[in-house]
């Protein structure tokens, strides 16, 4: 018997539609003419809690940390016990198993861990379902692969899961206990990805609070050559007086004197150099989930979780491909579907999409089609199913629009323009003029209405000039400007920061190394992490502009934790290692040993954490804790928050500790 194990019932039902009949639905599985299909409900198995390794861990104690499991335990989730027994029984009967988890790291693990848990020895093959339309599923059914090909992907998922456990379970306990000893009645959840993400918002808020506005002047001049007037911007010399630390002209008197000198000069300007280079801009790649989330956030103001949920609905309606993808490329064989997809888009009930599709040339093959860039899944694109655009709600229409727009762009020509840079000298000062002339609009025709593209592609005509030419100086002016504080994060821009985490690492040597790292978190978890920080009261979202602001507990958490966990340097490095592991270039055991050492070192640091005391009555004995009202065998009393390290105790007197008055000397 061939047994398909899907990640969830809906996926099992879709596979069953395209297997030979007769098809019959049973309790927890479906029978077909080509085997049986069963399913999980996401993770049937869960990681054991610390107290399930040893009951003593039920109570949080500093002396028990760090907790490092020698043999990792998985337990059947209470809500899945019945389904687990059904799956286990079917595995026993099977002669061949088909792993039908989602085509990503987590999807690979959650079926593999069940097979490992029951000690399966049957051969296992893998079906990769990147889309749920008939064409895609039938193609996937006849293109099964050996599940062993995805062993490294499973190892990477296992490493992430166990690292999250080590960091979360240990450091949450260590720093919560440290905070409670200083009088803070709170629980501080620490996460490998969650904490550095929260710290990004805290640091940004502090940058805004400490920002000092600086005024400066931008000097420019208008010149004329061959009956064409153009503008060039003043470039100060290194020794130029009046510049601030950023190289901006901040001295008003010097700016005024400079303008007077430029205006009074009688000689014409001289062209020092003028170079024109043809530039080409390749088609914008199709969308990964995070790219879609950032784009939808900027264009429509959508929360990342809304984008993911909507993309999931479009996927389940067979209109777009698998949404939790971190890939922006497409398999070369998928190009054969272009005629059908573009044809359908040409008839869609949206004038813009239909108009763009009508002009698309399906013979063009952009850089998006590249088998070497494909792993378990590919970029999010429309399927071959025709989309009834009018039947979608507004959010679904907008998300489908963005996915289809980027797909159509693959069938337009490369964007080509001439970039000209001229350097001029006038009155002993240097000026720079830049020109940009579009030669082939290409794929940017599709994005011509977007404000960002318009700003970037505005053509500026420069006259034809050569070294030694002498344009006529017309006038000079100075525009007064002010620096602006950095902008607050929204959920969409915070998600973008998580993806481009190399920009925020503290170690400058790591910036280059981590530039190609796919950020912290995964496509599927980033939106959830941000939502959790809001739901747990560490971030507040402003109603109107949706800016994220940290709360008091957020400041406390970030301030008491060491930089190793609040800056993203280590987390980004670990993500790089997890990526290498998925490709077979890193060891699970070595990675977990590193995580265990890191966890132990931070647990040790928690004991000496400098935490501000919170409470009216500081402990007079240890001076490191606060006195808290407690109930004992003989009634109320006041004890130190650092008990048992400090055993100071005082009777209660009118809801205050009855402390002896220090003797006056």
């Amino acid at each position: 018997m061939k047994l398909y194990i899907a990640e969830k019932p809906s996926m099992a039902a879709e596979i069953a539609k395209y297997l030979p009949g007769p098809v019959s639905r049973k309790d927890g599985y479906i029978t077909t003419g080509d085997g049986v299909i069963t399913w999980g409900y996401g993770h049937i198995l869960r990681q054991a809690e610390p107290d399930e390794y040893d009951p003593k861990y039920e109570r949080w104690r500093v002396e028990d940390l760090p907790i490092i499991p020698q043999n990792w335990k998985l337990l059947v989730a209470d809500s899945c016990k019945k389904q687990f027994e059904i799956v286990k029984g079917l595995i026993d009967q099977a002669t061949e198993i088909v792993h039908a988890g989602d085509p990503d790291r987590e999807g690979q693990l959650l079926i593999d861990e069940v097979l490992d848990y029951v000690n399966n020895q049957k051969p296992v093959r893998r079906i990769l379902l990147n889309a749920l339309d008939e064409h895609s599923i039938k193609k996937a059914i006849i293109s099964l692969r050996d599940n062993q090909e995805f062993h490294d992907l499973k190892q990477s998922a296992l490493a992430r899961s166990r690292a999250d456990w080590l960091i979360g379970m240990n450091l949450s306990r260590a720093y919560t206990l440290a905070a409670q000893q200083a009088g803070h009645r709170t629980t501080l959840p620490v996460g490998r990805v969650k904490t550095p993400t929260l710290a990004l918002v805290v640091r940004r808020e502090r940058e805004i609070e400490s920002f000092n506005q600086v005024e400066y002047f931008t000097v420019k001049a208008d010149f004329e050559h061959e009956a064409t007037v153009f503008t060039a911007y003043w470039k100060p010399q290194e020794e130029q007086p009046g510049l601030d630390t950023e190289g901006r002209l901040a001295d008003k008197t010097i700016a005024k004197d400079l303008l007077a000198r430029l205006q009074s000069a009688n000689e014409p300007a001289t062209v020092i150099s003028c170079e024109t280079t043809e530039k080409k801009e390749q088609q914008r790649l199709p969308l990964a989930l995070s790219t879609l989330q950032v784009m939808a956030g900027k264009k429509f103001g959508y929360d990342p979780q809304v984008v993911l949920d909507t993309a999931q609905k479009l996927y389940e309606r067979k209109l777009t491909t698998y949404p939790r993808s971190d890939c922006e490329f497409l398999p070369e064989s998928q190009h054969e579907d272009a005629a059908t997809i573009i044809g359908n888009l040409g008839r869609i009930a949206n004038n813009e999409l239909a108009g763009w599709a009508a002009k698309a040339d399906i013979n063009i093959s952009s850089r998006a089609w590249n088998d070497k860039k494909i792993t378990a899944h590919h970029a999010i694109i429309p399927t071959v199913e025709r989309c009834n655009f009018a039947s979608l709600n507004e959010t679904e229409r907008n998300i489908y629009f963005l996915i289809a727009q980027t797909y159509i762009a693959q069938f337009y020509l490369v964007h080509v323009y001439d970039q000209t840079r001229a350097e001029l000298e006038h009155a002993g000062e240097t000026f720079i003029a830049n020109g940009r002339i579009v030669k082939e609009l290409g794929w940017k025709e599709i994005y011509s209405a977007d404000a960002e593209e318009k700003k970037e592609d505005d053509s500026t005509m420069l006259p034809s000039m050569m070294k030694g030419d002498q344009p006529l100086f017309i006038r000079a002016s100075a525009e007064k400007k002010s620096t602006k504080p950095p902008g607050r994060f929204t959920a969409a821009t915070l998600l973008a920061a998580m993806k481009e985490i190399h920009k925020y690492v503290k170690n400058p040597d790591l910036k280059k190394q981590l530039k190609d790292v796919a950020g912290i978190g995964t496509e599927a978890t980033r939106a959830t992490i941000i939502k959790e920080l809001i739901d747990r009261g560490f971030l507040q979202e402003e109603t109107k502009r949706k800016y994220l602001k940290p709360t008091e507990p957020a400041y406390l958490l970030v301030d008491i934790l060491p930089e190793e966990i609040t800056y993203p340097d280590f987390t980004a490095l670990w993500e790089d290692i997890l990526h290498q592991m998925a490709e077979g270039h890193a060891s699970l055991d070595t990675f977990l040993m590193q995580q265990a050492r890191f966890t132990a070192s931070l647990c040790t640091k928690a004991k000496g954490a400098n935490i501000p005391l919170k409470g009216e009555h500081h402990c007079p004995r240890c001076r490191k804790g606060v006195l808290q009202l407690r109930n004992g065998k003989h009634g109320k009393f006041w004890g130190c928050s650092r008990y048992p390290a400090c055993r100071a105790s005082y009777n209660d007197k009118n809801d205050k500790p009855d402390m002896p008055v220090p003797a006056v000397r």
Side-chain angles (χ1 to χ4, degrees), residues 224-230 462-466 469-472:
E224 183 179 353
H225 185 68
E226 294 184 348
T228 300
V229 176
F230 62 96
L462 286 183
S464 177
M465 293 184 288
M466 296 175 59
D469 282 347
Q470 294 188 319
L472 176 65

Side-chain angles (χ1 to χ4, degrees), residues 3-42:
L3 175 66
Y4 290 81
I5 307 178
E7 189 167 321
K8 43 190 174 287
S10 60
M11 179 70 79
E14 291 299 333
I15 296 171
K17 287 181 185 177
Y18 305 108
L19 291 174
V23 175
S24 177
R25 179 121 190 182
K26 309 291 184 182
D27 185 12
Y29 63 98
I30 301 170
T31 60
T32 76
D34 187 31
V36 174
I37 310 167
T38 189
W39 53 83
Y41 295 102

Side-chain angles (χ1 to χ4, degrees), residues 127-168:
I127 184 171
L128 296 175
L129 292 169
N130 279 297
L132 297 181
D133 59 281
E134 180 179 357
H135 173 75
S136 297
I137 293 179
K138 285 183 174 179
K139 188 175 179 180
I141 289 171
I142 62 172
S143 306
L144 299 180
R145 294 165 65 178
D146 188 338
N147 191 54
Q148 193 60 29
E149 292 179 39
F150 303 92
H151 172 76
D152 295 326
L153 192 64
K154 178 187 81 171
Q155 295 293 90
S156 175
L158 204 55
R160 180 208 57 76
S161 175
R162 291 177 179 176
D164 285 349
W165 193 99
L166 287 172
I167 297 293

Side-chain angles (χ1 to χ4, degrees), residues 100-276:
D102 281 352
D104 58 14
R105 191 164 67 181
E106 205 63 27
Q108 187 64 39
L109 176 63
L110 61 84
I111 303 299
D112 276 346
E113 65 186 7
V114 172
L115 296 174
D116 292 341
Y117 189 83
V118 301
N119 195 28
N120 171 65
Q121 301 298 317
K122 314 281 176 67
V124 182
R125 292 199 284 171
R126 184 70 159 100
I127 184 171
L128 296 175
L129 292 169
N130 279 297
L132 297 181
D133 59 281
E134 180 179 357
H135 173 75
S136 297
I137 293 179
K138 285 183 174 179
K139 188 175 179 180
I141 289 171
I142 62 172
S143 306
L144 299 180
R145 294 165 65 178
D146 188 338
N147 191 54
Q148 193 60 29
E149 292 179 39
F150 303 92
H151 172 76
D152 295 326
L153 192 64
K154 178 187 81 171
Q155 295 293 90
S156 175
L158 204 55
R160 180 208 57 76
S161 175
R162 291 177 179 176
D164 285 349
W165 193 99
L166 287 172
I167 297 293
M169 293 297 180
N170 285 290
L171 300 190
S172 295
R173 291 181 177 221
Y175 287 90
T176 293
L177 290 170
Q180 288 176 351
Q181 287 186 350
H184 297 269
R185 296 178 182 271
T186 185
T187 301
L188 298 177
V190 180
R192 185 179 59 88
V193 176
K194 188 188 329 177
T195 300
T197 300
L198 178 63
L200 287 176
V201 184
V202 169
R203 278 193 287 272
R204 175 62 58 86
E205 192 65 27
R206 283 181 167 153
E207 286 175 24
I208 294 169
E209 289 169 358
S210 62
F211 176 77
N212 291 315
Q213 191 177 73
V214 174
E215 293 183 343
Y216 64 97
F217 299 89
T218 299
V219 178
K220 60 184 179 180
D222 292 336
F223 299 92
E224 183 179 353
H225 185 68
E226 294 184 348
T228 300
V229 176
F230 62 96
T231 301
Y233 289 83
W234 176 64
K235 179 184 177 184
Q237 304 299 321
E238 286 186 15
E239 306 82 16
Q240 171 69 44
L243 301 183
D244 63 15
T245 55
E246 300 296 322
R248 298 174 295 228
L249 181 57
D251 191 302
K252 183 177 181 180
T253 302
I254 292 177
K256 190 175 180 181
D257 291 345
L258 174 61
L259 289 180
R261 186 155 48 84
L262 292 171
Q263 290 291 154
S264 63
N266 295 319
E267 72 277 7
T270 302
V271 176
I272 306 301
S273 65
C274 186
E275 296 179 354
T276 298

Side-chain angles (χ1 to χ4, degrees), residues 537-574:
F538 289 94
L539 293 177
Q540 289 179 335
E541 190 173 37
E542 288 186 358
T543 306
K544 191 174 182 181
R545 296 189 177 182
K546 297 190 175 181
Y547 288 139
L548 297 175
K549 297 185 72 173
T551 61
E552 185 181 340
Y555 286 109
L556 173 66
L557 178 60
V558 171
D559 287 345
I560 71 171
L561 288 169
E563 289 187 348
E564 291 96 320
I565 195 70
T566 60
Y567 275 90
D569 300 42
F570 279 96
T571 301
L573 272 176
W574 297 333

